[in-house]
Amino acid sequence: MYTLVRSRYRYDRRGGRWIEADLGNEEIGTLSANYGDIYLYLEYPAAGKPIQKALRWDKVTNILNNYAPTLTVNQWLVAVGNLTLPFESTLPGEKIKYVKYAQAWHSGYNVQAKARSGVDGLPAQHKEDLILTHPTNLPQEVRDNCLISVNGYFHLTDWTDAGVRIIDGNKTAYRSQDNQIGMYSFKAIGKLQFVPITKAMIKPQAVGTPLWDAAYITMPSNINLTKKTVLLVTGGYLNVLTDAYVRVSERTWRISFGKMMFLNRFLQSAKDMDLSSLGLTKIKDADDLFDAQELKNDAVVSAYLTLSQSFFVVVDSESLFQSYEPVQYLNTPGRFIGSEGLQIPLVGAYGRMLDYHIIEEPMGTGQKWPETKSSFVYCATENRRFDYDATHRKWLQGKAVNGGRYPAHPYRNETAYYRFIGVES
């Protein structure tokens, strides 16, 4: 006879975290509906000592048809008796693996501006891309395992033997007048495949309906999606398993601009990135003033989705999770402190990533960390949440939208969050 030793579940097999729970008194008929993905750890007698095995609940669906749905798990195990169950071949691993962050300059990378034409004598402002090289890390290995950001905005990358090419990276660096390069390693999770979005991939919900309401993007047929997790970068911001993009068929996702903080993100990035390809009407002497209705045009939406900062990321992992945890703010712009020097991505206002390096400091008077005698200061880029005036109005129904700040409270320096992205067996 089988005995339930422990159980754990996660609501979403695609992106959830495992949670310990006592499921022995739960009814088998509603177990999957209430708890999603479930492991039961069962024990049964054997010569010498009992054997423990793991049972994934979705593998016993056919067996359950022979039992009353009102039976509890414990009652069902008694009723099963000595019936052979479809156990996992090994006990599931329970190690958590995270995406790790490193700042390129502090990790020994060399970064050079590069013109796409191959002409090296051009002025810096005419060189579109950045080339990333390292003394020991091979370009293909870097490209296959890392997402790369420029000043907090993710960019599409490619590689040759000459290095990793960050598409339009120099345009962003030149416009921002800054050159922070962030490396986000998925090596412990799975290899990455980058899929640029083309206009041919984008369709409306129906002929004549606006892309702003719902843009449907179909992945090319040559992209392997079996046991993969798909992430989406839009305008430099990483979306991880959110309702901003929802899978509606085997190869198609519905993109909802109303669910991705579009206005705040657009206004934040418009001053930092080259968005000239959107073809927005320029208003004289007002770089941060835009035609609100023009922003919703199909042509603009399509151009936004085909930026070099908008693309799919196919992760070679069947599942993935994301969680956030605040980092203690030192009330000084861009300075945070923790008891551990975690090399975990930091995210700031509106989902823009924060580049940082860590300085280990000896314990100060009055500071008490239970685990260590040091504290770790995260020296990060400024994290300001601008209170855009446009967000105080119904901008979607208006004629104009601008990046001006609300006079009473124009901005605030805000805390950052660890952005834990990883897998849990």
Side-chain angles (χ1 to χ4, degrees), residues 99-107 149 151-152 178-185 327 334-338 340-348 352-359 376-382 416-420:
V99 172
K100 295 296 185 67
Y101 168 85
Q103 213 272 359
W105 299 107
H106 288 262
S107 303
S149 67
N151 298 328
D178 199 1
N179 58 359
Q180 303 297 317
I181 311 296
M183 314 287 295
Y184 298 81
S185 174
V327 189
R335 294 297 179 267
F336 311 93
I337 192 170
E340 300 176 80
L342 299 177
Q343 292 286 346
I344 295 294
L346 288 187
V347 65
R352 180 183 177 183
M353 305 308 297
L354 301 179
D355 291 293
Y356 68 86
H357 65 277
I358 296 175
I359 298 176
F376 298 86
V377 176
Y378 290 80
C379 303
T381 48
E382 287 190 357
Y417 289 81
Y418 291 119
R419 189 175 190 176
F420 292 102

Side-chain angles (χ1 to χ4, degrees), residues 100-121:
K100 295 296 185 67
Y101 168 85
Q103 213 272 359
W105 299 107
H106 288 262
S107 303
Y109 284 88
N110 180 56
V111 186
Q112 296 293 328
K114 189 73 172 179
R116 214 165 293 160
S117 64
V119 178
D120 292 329

Side-chain angles (χ1 to χ4, degrees), residues 6-9 18-23 41 94:
R6 60 184 283 238
S7 47
R8 59 180 181 146
Y9 70 93
W18 288 106
I19 302 170
E20 293 285 335
D22 182 3
L23 302 180
Y41 293 79
E94 297 185 33

